[in-house]
Amino acid sequence: MSSNYDVIVIGAGPAGYVGAIRCAQLGLRVGVIDEFVRKDGEPSLGGTCLNVGCIPSKALLDSSDEYLKAEHELASHGIKVGSVELDVPQMIKRKDKVVQDLTGGIKQLFKANKIEWLQGHGKLLADRKVEFTPHKGKAQTLDAEHVILATGSTPIDIGAAPVDQEQVLNSDGALELTEVPKRMGVIGAGVIGLEMGSVWNRLGSKVVLLEAQDTFLAAVDSQIAKEARKQFEAQGMEIRLGCRVKDSRKGKTVSIHYEDTDGKQNLQVDKLVVSVGRRPHTDNLTHDDVDLLTDERGYVHVNDYCETNIPGVYAVGDVVRGPMLAHKGSEEGMMVAERIVGQPGEVNYETIPWVIYTDPEIAWVGKTEASLKSAGTPYRTGTFGFAATGRARAMDKPVGMVKIMAHAETDRILGVHIVGPQASELIGEAVLAMEYAASAEDLARTIHAHPTLSEAVHEAALAVDGRAIHKAN
Ligand code: FAD
Ligand code: AMP
């Protein structure tokens, strides 16, 4: 191990490991310190996203979707599969294998790029020195020209429901259940709560989500959120809004006390998932004599280029402002690497796509209708339902819509919102269009293959000008 680096990255999640690889591509000598240890005791690269976040949640969403298909959907295609049996431990094993393959892939990429993986804790000292404490062994001081902090985030705990990972779980625990609980409560109907709730609802749990806000998915365009809620409730998930959880008691079951507009309420469940958001992870990150500026919510303070208040020290990903999304962190990591070598890297924060991987999926980029209204921006809207596309019908997924908003005078696309099949893939076209400052007319004049789901995007763009073909405008 060397003690001198051009760049030391603390944290090997999608922000840190991507930044590290880009630094190495640009000829810099890079060391990455990461302290993550998985359940079998092995250190593992990839941070929250690969180990306990994006990837394992999608693996279980995909498995539970296959189960649902086998149980309820294949018969209508003329495929009889007999009685369907669920093997949850195998589902978890497959999820673990997906994670191991991907995290192993990053290890190979580090090798190929000659990046040193330092397994243990990193702490920022003065003068761009870093204290590295290996999992086994003594602390040592490393020197770097540049330090990138990419320490990510951890789940927020609430006093009313302390997590024990037995009966009261956070997302880590919700990804490890080996039996389907009869009844599951979820505190927080946000992205993670809805994804975890969907997995266990599909596998047979009676899922009730308790959300503090009065509005369902307040950050999502309200028309899209309304349609999504209808679908989730049709699937059996119960969504209760305006709930203030006061207390939870553990016995044979978990008894949750909460208040809503009707007064005091109680809910009995077998497992309770707490998914009320995540907080930036800065525990034991800086030495006492390092004056790293954080904001009032604990995020490391950075400018548009992810520079902290300390020259040569950068911060990227969930530990800084902006959406807590893997791809946002990765872009920041690449930007910082490029700026370190004097290239003009930047991140366009206006075109970061969001996705919720439920069924139907929800995806969006840009402004919501409510934000355009409150800003007084003149706009035109085009919507198109998947039910009118041949492909969604052939797939038996005629649910949801595409909604496009464009500036009323310039026609520039301001926001694209999708709820429906494969929204996560369809949003890519919208992001590209907005990145290139496209007009709705540009999308309307772009040829879309038939029959595809993307025809709904095409028709929504035509609908902005009142000329969708397969719809009465
Ligand atoms: P992290 O991935 O959190 O990585 C930080 C790493 O730094 C960790 O390995 C940590 O152990 C290490 N570390 C922290 N402090 C130190 C230290 N002092 N010394 C050494 N190491 C340290 N995002 C999406 O875009 N799409 C999704 O589908 C999605 N699904 C999600 C599902 C779940 C259940 C969860 C929990 C999150 C999901 N996210 C998703 C969010 C995504 O995981 C995060 O936005 C992303 O992981 C942030 O990346 P990061 O590199 O900033 O930090
Ligand atoms: P996300 O950040 O998308 O995972 O969403 C977290 C959700 O949890 C948001 O919808 C919050 O409104 C909700 N939330 C936060 N605190 C509480 C709480 N104490 N009780 C219920 N819901 C909460």
Side-chain angles (χ1 to χ4, degrees), residues 11 13-15 34-35 47-49 54 58 121-122 151-152 281 318 324-326:
D34 190 277
E35 65 188 4
T48 302
C49 174
C54 327
K58 264 80 265 177
H121 186 79
T151 50
H281 183 99
D318 278 12
M324 286 182 157
L325 295 168

Side-chain angles (χ1 to χ4, degrees), residues 200-248:
W200 296 104
N201 179 61
R202 289 172 193 172
L203 300 180
S205 264
K206 167 69 199 147
V207 174
V208 179
L209 295 117
L210 303 176
E211 165 60 46
Q213 296 199 54
D214 295 323
T215 311
F216 178 58
L217 286 176
V220 176
D221 190 90
S222 58
Q223 203 176 347
I224 299 290
K226 196 170 152 203
E227 173 67 19
R229 183 175 183 185
K230 197 172 85 190
Q231 298 301 330
F232 298 155
E233 289 185 335
Q235 291 159 16
M237 281 198 284
E238 207 180 304
I239 298 161
R240 301 185 189 169
L241 301 177
C243 300
R244 287 177 305 282
V245 178
K246 295 288 176 189
D247 182 30
S248 59

Side-chain angles (χ1 to χ4, degrees), residues 158 187-192 210-213 243 245 275-277:
I158 51 171
I187 306 181
V191 178
I192 294 173
L210 303 176
E211 165 60 46
Q213 296 199 54
C243 300
V245 178
S275 53
V276 295

